[in-house]
Amino acid sequence: MSDGRFDAVVIGAGAAGLFCAGIAGQRGLKVLLLDHAEKVAEKIRISGGGRCNFTNRELDPRAPHRHYLGENPAFCRSALARYTPADFIALVQRHGIPFHEKHKGQLFGDRSSEDFIRMLLTECAAGGVTHWQPCAVAAIGMEGDQYLLQTARGPVRTRSVVIATGGLSIPKIGATDFGLGIARQFGLRVVTPRPALVPLTFDGTAWAPFADLAGLALPVRIATGEKKTRMAFDEDLLFTHRGLSGPGVLQISSYWREGTPIEIDLAPGTDLAEALHEAKASGQRRLLANLLAQWVPSRLADAWVRQDAAWQRPAVEAADRALAALAQRLAAWQLVPTGTEGWRKAEVMAGGVDTRDLSQQTLESRQRGLYFIGEVVDVTGWLGGYNFQWAWASAHACGMALPAG
C-alpha cells in the first residue's frame, strides 16, 4: 500500500496475529501484519517440543472456566463456542498436516511446528496480507477518527488496530510489554501480569534434602487453595535442583499465590496408612524405605525416610504413630514455594488487558477500533493446547468482526 492506508493493522505475528490477519484478509480487508522480531511465530516454533500442541479435544466451550482462568473466566465462552477445536482441526486437515493425540485430548503435529507456521502464512497470503517483519512500532496515536502508527517503515493509517503481541513469557524470543503499554495509553485497565505454567522454586536450605532427586519424575495429585478456590490436578511431577516442575506443577502454578502452600499426594490411589499398618501386623521385616519403593520411586523413598529416624527401621519395629505420620506426610505433603522460575521459564502470562474493557463478541475495547486478542488478554488456559485454542478463537472472533473500509 503505497499511501500507507489499511483497513486493519495487526501488531504481532504470533499464533493469534497470523490467524486474525489471514481471516480478515480473506474477507476482503486490506490488512497489514507487522512484528518487531526477526522471526515469525517463535512461540509456535518451540511449543510442544517443536511439534506444536495446537489444541485440545477435551475443551468444553459451554464451561470455559474448567480450562481457563482470569478475573472473569467466563469471558472466553463466546469466542470459544464460535470457533472450536473441531474448527481448527478441520483447517489443519485441509492443509494436509498429520497430527496425533496424546493423553487428555492434547493434539500435536506429527512432524514439526513449521507445518503450522507455513499453514498460517499460507492463509495470510490467500488474504493478500501485507507482512512487514522485522518492523517496530514506535508510537500509536489518533488522527481524526483514524489511528496513526509510526513504524520503522514509515507512517501507517488505519481505522482498526489489533494488538496480538502476546505476554511477557520467554523474553528471549522477543516478548515485551508493548501490548499492555498500548492498553494503558488508551485508558484500559490491566490485571497485574504474573508468570503462569511455570516451575516452582523453594528456599535452598529447606530444599536441600530433595535437591539430589533432580530429574526424578512420578505421577501425583497436586492441589492448592481452600474450599471454593481449591484446584487439583492429577499429573506428573518432576524434581529439579531448585524445586519442582513437570505438568502437574506447571498446571498448579497458574492458581498458586505467593505465601500459600501447595499439597502433593505422592502416591495417589494408595491408602498408605492401611498398607503400612498391614505390613507391620504381618511381621514385615523389610525396611520402610524398601516397602515404600512399591508405591514411589526408590530414590524418593530413601530421601523421605532420612527426614526422621523413626522411619529408618523395619516396618515391624516402627511405632504406630511413626507409620501414621509417614503415611500422612506422603499423602499430603505440604510445602510453601518461595517463588517461581519467572518469565524466563513461564510458558504463558496470567493477567493482562482487563476483560471488563473488551467485547466478548468482537474483542474490541472501549477505545473504538482498538482490539486485543490472544495472550495479551486476561485469559489463561491450562497446559495442553488450551492457550493456542484461545489464540485461534479470539483471533477468529476479531478477524470476522473487523469492519471494511
Side-chain angles (χ1 to χ4, degrees):
M1 298 290 294
S2 58
D3 63 354
R5 294 182 185 273
F6 294 85
D7 294 328
V9 175
V10 179
I11 304 176
L18 282 165
F19 196 43
C20 181
I23 290 168
Q26 290 180 44
R27 287 182 50 230
L29 276 68
K30 295 173 183 175
V31 179
L32 171 64
L33 172 67
L34 45 79
D35 196 302
H36 73 286
E38 291 281 343
K39 293 183 178 179
V40 67
E42 272 292 270
K43 211 161 194 182
I44 294 179
R45 185 171 283 109
I46 66 174
S47 72
R51 292 193 173 184
C52 190
N53 178 194
F54 61 90
T55 192
N56 194 301
R57 277 198 168 119
E58 291 190 1
L59 185 146
D60 181 0
R62 296 166 300 179
H65 56 277
R66 283 191 57 220
H67 300 115
Y68 294 87
L69 65 147
E71 294 292 304
N72 177 22
F75 172 85
C76 58
R77 184 192 308 267
S78 176
L80 290 167
R82 287 180 288 139
Y83 195 83
T84 68
D87 293 319
F88 193 76
I89 290 167
L91 176 66
V92 169
Q93 290 172 327
R94 282 203 304 276
H95 282 261
I97 299 174
F99 62 90
H100 59 278
E101 181 174 339
K102 289 191 176 179
H103 77 145
K104 298 189 176 183
Q106 300 174 22
L107 300 186
F108 290 77
D110 285 356
R111 297 184 301 226
S112 165
S113 298
E114 297 290 344
D115 286 345
F116 299 92
I117 296 173
R118 280 193 294 270
M119 176 188 78
L120 294 169
L121 290 172
T122 298
E123 290 291 308
C124 284
V129 173
T130 301
H131 187 178
W132 293 352
Q133 189 169 1
C135 180
V137 177
I140 300 178
M142 299 300 297
E143 189 177 76
D145 62 351
Q146 291 196 329
Y147 290 91
L148 174 62
L149 284 69
Q150 302 296 342
T151 83
R153 301 195 189 186
V156 172
R157 291 169 178 81
T158 182
R159 290 191 184 278
S160 300
V161 174
V162 180
I163 303 296
T165 50
L168 303 176
S169 56
I170 322 181
K172 70 178 181 181
I173 62 171
T176 74
D177 64 353
F178 178 89
L180 302 180
I182 295 301
R184 293 187 179 104
Q185 175 188 335
F186 286 97
L188 306 179
R189 290 168 286 191
V190 172
V191 176
T192 303
R194 58 188 176 82
L197 299 182
V198 62
L200 298 174
T201 58
F202 298 86
D203 174 78
T205 303
W207 194 246
F210 310 106
D212 288 342
L213 297 177
L216 181 69
L218 71 158
V220 302
R221 182 171 181 80
I222 184 168
T224 194
E226 298 290 339
K227 297 179 181 177
K228 287 186 177 180
T229 66
R230 189 168 178 82
M231 280 297 301
F233 293 93
D234 294 298
E235 287 278 8
D236 283 359
L237 171 147
L238 174 69
F239 283 86
T240 72
H241 290 292
R242 289 163 47 85
L244 297 171
S245 187
V249 173
L250 298 187
Q251 292 280 44
I252 213 67
S253 72
S254 297
Y255 294 89
W256 173 74
R257 292 294 183 271
E258 189 173 350
T260 62
I262 58 172
E263 183 176 297
I264 304 171
D265 183 348
L266 291 164
T270 300
D271 187 336
L272 287 174
E274 182 180 348
L276 292 174
H277 176 75
E278 289 179 354
K280 178 178 179 177
S282 68
Q284 179 59 253
R285 299 208 58 80
R286 292 168 67 194
L287 289 172
L288 286 172
N290 295 335
L291 273 179
L292 289 177
Q294 299 174 70
W295 305 293
V296 301
S298 58
R299 285 172 61 201
L300 176 57
D302 290 339
W304 205 262
V305 300
R306 282 200 295 268
Q307 298 177 84
D308 192 327
W311 300 339
Q312 299 167 21
R313 59 189 66 199
V316 71
E317 296 177 12
D320 289 344
R321 186 173 59 231
L323 293 179
L326 176 58
Q328 195 279 331
R329 182 99 185 275
L330 280 162
W333 184 24
Q334 284 214 349
L335 58 171
V336 179
T338 52
T340 75
E341 290 284 4
W343 297 115
R344 183 176 61 91
K345 291 288 186 72
E347 295 199 10
V348 294
M349 175 182 78
V353 179
D354 196 320
T355 55
R356 292 177 295 175
D357 291 343
L358 303 177
S359 163
Q360 294 185 42
Q361 300 295 318
T362 66
L363 281 301
E364 186 177 18
S365 71
R366 288 189 294 104
Q367 168 69 29
R368 188 174 180 181
L370 182 62
Y371 302 74
F372 292 83
I373 60 176
E375 189 182 348
V376 73
V377 178
D378 178 33
V379 173
T380 304
W382 288 7
L383 187 72
Y386 294 103
N387 287 293
F388 273 132
Q389 186 58 37
W390 167 243
W392 316 136
S394 59
H396 182 267
C398 178
M400 294 299 291
L402 287 168

